[in-house]
Amino acid sequence: MILVTGTTGQLGGAIADALTTRGAAPLASNRSGQGGARRIDFDDPDTVSFVGVDTLVLVSAGETEDDVVIARHETAITAAERDRVQHVVYTSLTSAGDHLAFALAHRWTERRLQRSSLSWTILRNGLYAELFGSLLSWSGDSLGSAFGDGALAAVARADLAEAAAVVAMSPSDHVGRGYDLVGEPITAAQVADRLAVPHRTVSLAEQRMALAEAALEPFQPAMLMSIFTGVRLGFLDGAGDDLRTLLGREPADTVAVAAASLPPR
């Protein structure tokens, strides 16, 4: 049996759908038991059971403070060890993202898995093209961003979900492997060109001020600013072949995906 955690989230739900499309009949789980899923809430260890699960797709447990994410992942991995799960597929963060403000919990989880009694595969996911598009902003008829001329090796969420499904359905082929799932680098100017509108660069200081005025959780501005800075300064533009190899096809057009994810004018 394959179990996917966090299926009320966009990635977890997409992974469950990709497995179903491939005929795998996965078991879904989420904190509320929504949609007939198994109720597994990592904040309530009494609900965490993986009995009968052969392959666990552990989707990173939410955007929150590092200590909370780490505690959730510790609960999940400990339960997987106890319940004799055969293999864990973990959705981590691209290797190029070590400097990002939300990288620590991912790297801690990778180390915890590597030191565990479990068989594992680590999927180091690139940042979503959907996220890249959502972080652009309209100013009149021009598209503004704090990314400058920097590029992001963005990935469509659906491609990451399909890659996770590929691994989860044949885990013995991927034991002890880590994959960097990144796409071809794209820029904000390319998204603007696709829409036939001008691109306007916003300074990091202007972007920080905009975030300060937004209704965000306390930890979110630092996380978002680390993305803007990382892209702008060229730390997240490295391409690779792992995604193409797992999919057995060319990844999605991420410029188009980003353009479709823009906030409304």
Side-chain angles (χ1 to χ4, degrees):
M1 178 194 297
I2 301 172
L3 184 143
V4 182
T5 69
T7 54
T8 51
Q10 291 179 312
L11 180 59
I15 293 171
D17 289 345
L19 284 163
T20 300
T21 297
R22 289 172 170 265
L27 180 62
S29 75
N30 54 61
R31 298 181 69 180
S32 63
Q34 181 177 325
R38 179 184 291 189
R39 180 173 178 257
I40 294 180
D41 181 354
F42 297 148
D43 294 333
D44 182 0
D46 289 342
T47 70
V48 183
S49 172
F50 299 127
V51 173
V53 174
D54 300 310
T55 300
L56 171 65
V57 181
L58 177 58
V59 179
S60 180
E63 292 182 0
T64 186
E65 300 289 356
D66 286 339
D67 57 342
V68 176
V69 177
I70 287 170
R72 290 172 177 172
H73 291 179
E74 172 62 33
T75 295
I77 294 170
T78 298
E81 291 176 312
R82 178 198 67 209
D83 296 336
R84 300 189 178 184
V85 170
Q86 294 179 17
H87 193 87
V88 175
V89 180
Y90 174 59
T91 63
S92 189
L93 175 68
T94 173
S95 297
D98 277 350
H99 61 285
L100 293 173
F102 48 96
L104 188 149
H106 286 292
R107 300 301 179 241
W108 182 92
T109 305
E110 291 182 16
R111 290 172 62 183
R112 175 67 176 86
L113 276 174
Q114 290 163 354
R115 296 170 179 174
S116 75
S117 60
L118 299 160
S119 172
W120 51 265
T121 304
I122 292 168
L123 304 180
R124 289 181 168 166
N125 290 348
L127 299 186
Y128 301 147
E130 292 89 343
L131 173 64
F132 188 74
S134 74
L135 294 177
L136 305 177
S137 60
W138 290 103
S139 177
D141 290 330
S142 67
L143 199 59
S145 82
F147 295 126
D149 296 327
L152 172 67
V155 192
R157 186 184 290 110
D159 281 351
L160 294 175
E162 186 177 338
V166 168
V167 172
M169 290 184 69
S170 57
S172 62
D173 294 334
H174 307 282
V175 173
R177 299 288 302 273
Y179 296 105
D180 258 301
L181 304 182
V182 294
E184 293 301 315
I186 64 172
T187 66
Q190 285 177 304
V191 177
D193 286 346
R194 184 68 61 92
L195 298 170
V197 298
H199 172 243
R200 182 176 65 87
T201 295
V202 176
S203 72
L204 292 173
E206 288 175 287
Q207 184 62 61
R208 190 180 296 277
M209 289 177 63
L211 293 177
E213 296 171 358
L216 298 174
E217 295 293 331
F219 63 89
Q220 289 180 311
M223 293 173 63
L224 293 171
M225 285 305 301
S226 70
I227 296 173
F228 287 118
T229 303
V231 173
R232 189 182 184 108
L233 300 181
F235 284 92
L236 293 167
D237 61 359
D241 291 327
D242 286 352
L243 181 62
R244 184 180 294 105
T245 299
L246 286 179
L247 295 178
R249 60 169 174 81
E250 289 299 313
D253 178 355
T254 49
V255 173
V257 173
S261 305
L262 293 174
R265 296 197 191 201

